[in-house]
Amino acid sequence: MTSQDDLEAVAREYLPGDVAEAWLPLLRPGIRLVPDGDGPLVGYLGGTPELPDDVAWPVWEGHGPLSFIASVDCAAVAGMAPDVGLPVDGRLLFFYFDGQYDDGETIVVAEDPEYQAGARIVYVPAGRVGGLRATPEGLSPYRRVRLASSVVSTAPSYDHPLLHEVFGAGFGQTADLEHPLRGDEFWSAIGAGEGPLHQLGGYACPVQGDVEYEVAQAALGGSVDWRDHALVCEAGRWLLLAQIDSDDNASMMWGDVGMLYWLIRPEDLIARRFDRALFTWQCS
């Protein structure tokens, strides 16, 4: 379900009035990236990236080069949903150490800060001179797939830190598991829709737990107890920047039908400090 009207209708049907009134203002717009979809080209999965001559191909020191995942034309999408906060020009390029280079010996453990070098975002401002960069030896590029786009309305996931903020510190604890927002019928009714679910901004579509807690672990050094309230507070500081789903069109498979996620703090998004974004991934 991807429209605000549809989500509002479901909230009115399945939630008590006071809960619906508190939940609906939490909805956020996102930009769905549609493989081979109708509409103008806004980017692509796979293929080879356009990099300025003075920008090196991202490498994870001690492990090898990262694979190129996707490129997004910010000028083509930023005006669609200004609240997402994307730059109004330039390109965002996404890279990830996917196991090709070392035959899967190293898996990016997102909660460990030392593994964050296994994923990278490169922002190329408008006007930077460059061209298509050949894929490094030892890597095979993913199949190139054009991306169109559409605006969607997204909802906070099952245990999102914002729900704790709005509905109280006890949200999600044993005594609160019967909260209306935990209802199976409600969650089935607001399903994110059919995949692949590539997306910019909005809320993530987690495969397992809420991704904000995983990047919060990395931000706090990777050693915080999952029950520590400090983790909830830190998780609330992170916004989804992009998620890239497994996609047969591009021959992309992240674990067992998983997803890649990049998150960023609002102040870093405003300042275009994409080097401070953090990464996680999940699979079923």
Side-chain angles (χ1 to χ4, degrees), residues 195-212:
L197 300 175
H198 310 306
Q199 185 176 301
L200 303 171
Y203 293 102
C205 302
V207 178
Q208 295 190 9
D210 298 70
V211 297
E212 291 79 9

Side-chain angles (χ1 to χ4, degrees), residues 29-93:
I31 300 169
R32 189 63 51 80
L33 300 174
V34 185
D36 292 325
D38 296 332
L41 176 73
V42 301
Y44 54 93
L45 301 173
T48 52
E50 293 183 44
L51 283 170
D53 296 337
D54 60 347
V55 174
W57 187 286
V59 172
W60 185 2
E61 187 175 351
H63 296 278
L66 279 59
S67 291
F68 171 62
I69 305 301
S71 174
V72 174
D73 180 353
C74 296
V77 295
M80 299 176 61
D83 289 347
V84 170
L86 295 173
V88 297
D89 58 26
R91 288 174 286 117
L92 287 171
L93 309 179

Side-chain angles (χ1 to χ4, degrees), residues 77-145:
V77 295
M80 299 176 61
D83 289 347
V84 170
L86 295 173
V88 297
D89 58 26
R91 288 174 286 117
L92 287 171
L93 309 179
F94 298 88
F95 295 82
Y96 167 58
F97 192 82
D98 59 1
Q100 282 193 61
Y101 193 77
D102 66 353
D103 294 324
E105 182 177 336
T106 304
I107 296 175
V108 177
V109 182
E111 298 93 327
D112 187 332
E114 295 183 4
Y115 284 74
Q116 284 294 323
R120 200 83 52 85
I121 298 173
V122 175
Y123 175 55
V124 182
R128 293 288 300 277
V129 177
L132 291 175
R133 185 74 58 85
T135 301
E137 186 177 351
L139 297 178
S140 296
Y142 289 99
R143 186 182 305 145
R144 180 170 171 135
V145 175

Side-chain angles (χ1 to χ4, degrees), residues 26 28 156-172 182 203-204 206 209-216 229-239 263:
L26 305 182
R28 291 175 181 166
S157 46
Y158 187 79
D159 198 35
H160 193 279
L162 194 55
L163 298 180
H164 292 254
E165 179 181 330
V166 172
F167 293 100
F171 183 85
R182 301 281 187 175
Y203 293 102
D210 298 70
V211 297
E212 291 79 9
Y213 298 100
E214 295 176 8
V215 298
H229 184 63
L231 189 67
V232 177
C233 294
E234 180 62 32
R237 299 183 62 194
W238 293 87
L239 300 173
L263 287 85

Side-chain angles (χ1 to χ4, degrees), residues 11-12 14-26 163 166-167 171 176 178-182 186:
R12 302 294 184 199
Y14 289 96
L15 300 177
D18 59 335
V19 176
E21 291 301 327
W23 182 80
L24 285 168
L26 305 182
L163 298 180
V166 172
F167 293 100
F171 183 85
D176 214 17
E178 298 303 318
H179 193 283
L181 287 173
R182 301 281 187 175
F186 172 70

